[in-house]
Amino acid sequence: MSDETKVGESAPALSEDERHAKKMAKKKAARDRMMATKEGEKGLIIVHTGAGKGKSSSGFGMILRCVAHGMPCAVVQFIKGAWDTGERRLLTTHFGELCQFHAMGEGFTWETQDKARDIAAARAGWEKAKELIRDPSIRMVLLDEINIALRYDYLDEAEVLAFLRDEKPAMTHVVLTGRNAREALIEAADLVTEMTLVKHPFRSGVKGQAGVEF
């Protein structure tokens, strides 16, 4: 006991900076203990769904991470493949050697107004997706808006789930985006994020704009 601290006296109060440092040290120790238990790696099934904006944007963010790490990857677009999007321009123009881009969709159902044509486009997209996923050199495959194709029964849900379970290489990540993801897909996935709609400019009469929507 120091000469300054007598019996029955409390230690000097810590400063705000000292309290913060002590609190963060405890958090770091707890975090380090938790991270020490996480050693495994695996190819993930990732689902981005919900009514809010950002599902495809998040998927393309992951694709760009793969590109930055030099990891071969691929994109299959199921619905809005006919659009001239910024992500499509960027990936095909600058990163075609790392990222294959297949725009298989022909627009939303109210645009084509042809169910048989929509189903045929979805099936073609799925066949291409299976080919890409089976390739063990491709580390991530983004299936953009496939949840919509599943929702409208353009693809067989059981077939898609069985393929992901039985044929996806162990270290391949597959990202599936789109509203209204089926419950069975959510159950089978390793990572699920639901985008919640809080506010959207479309409701105020603002149309989709380059750099924000596409």
Side-chain angles (χ1 to χ4, degrees), residues 54-67:
K55 298 176 287 293
S56 294
S57 300
S58 181
F60 279 109
M62 290 184 170
I63 288 291
L64 288 176
R65 286 181 186 149
C66 287
V67 168

Side-chain angles (χ1 to χ4, degrees), residues 36-129:
T37 67
K38 314 297 182 184
E39 297 179 352
E41 291 186 359
K42 61 175 288 190
L44 303 176
I45 297 174
I46 301 167
V47 174
H48 294 159
T49 191
K53 174 175 166 47
K55 298 176 287 293
S56 294
S57 300
S58 181
F60 279 109
M62 290 184 170
I63 288 291
L64 288 176
R65 286 181 186 149
C66 287
V67 168
H69 286 293
M71 297 164 58
C73 52
V75 177
V76 179
Q77 289 192 305
F78 280 82
I79 301 296
K80 53 192 179 189
W83 294 9
D84 177 22
T85 62
E87 53 267 25
R88 180 178 177 181
R89 285 191 192 184
L90 176 69
L91 290 169
T92 57
T93 302
H94 298 286
F95 304 110
E97 75 285 357
L98 276 174
C99 181
Q100 298 186 46
F101 202 112
H102 300 275
M104 310 295 288
E106 297 189 62
F108 290 99
T109 53
W110 57 84
E111 293 171 335
T112 62
Q113 301 175 22
D114 186 335
K115 185 175 181 179
R117 179 176 160 187
D118 291 337
I119 291 173
R123 289 298 313 177
W126 177 235
E127 290 304 313
K128 175 56 68 174

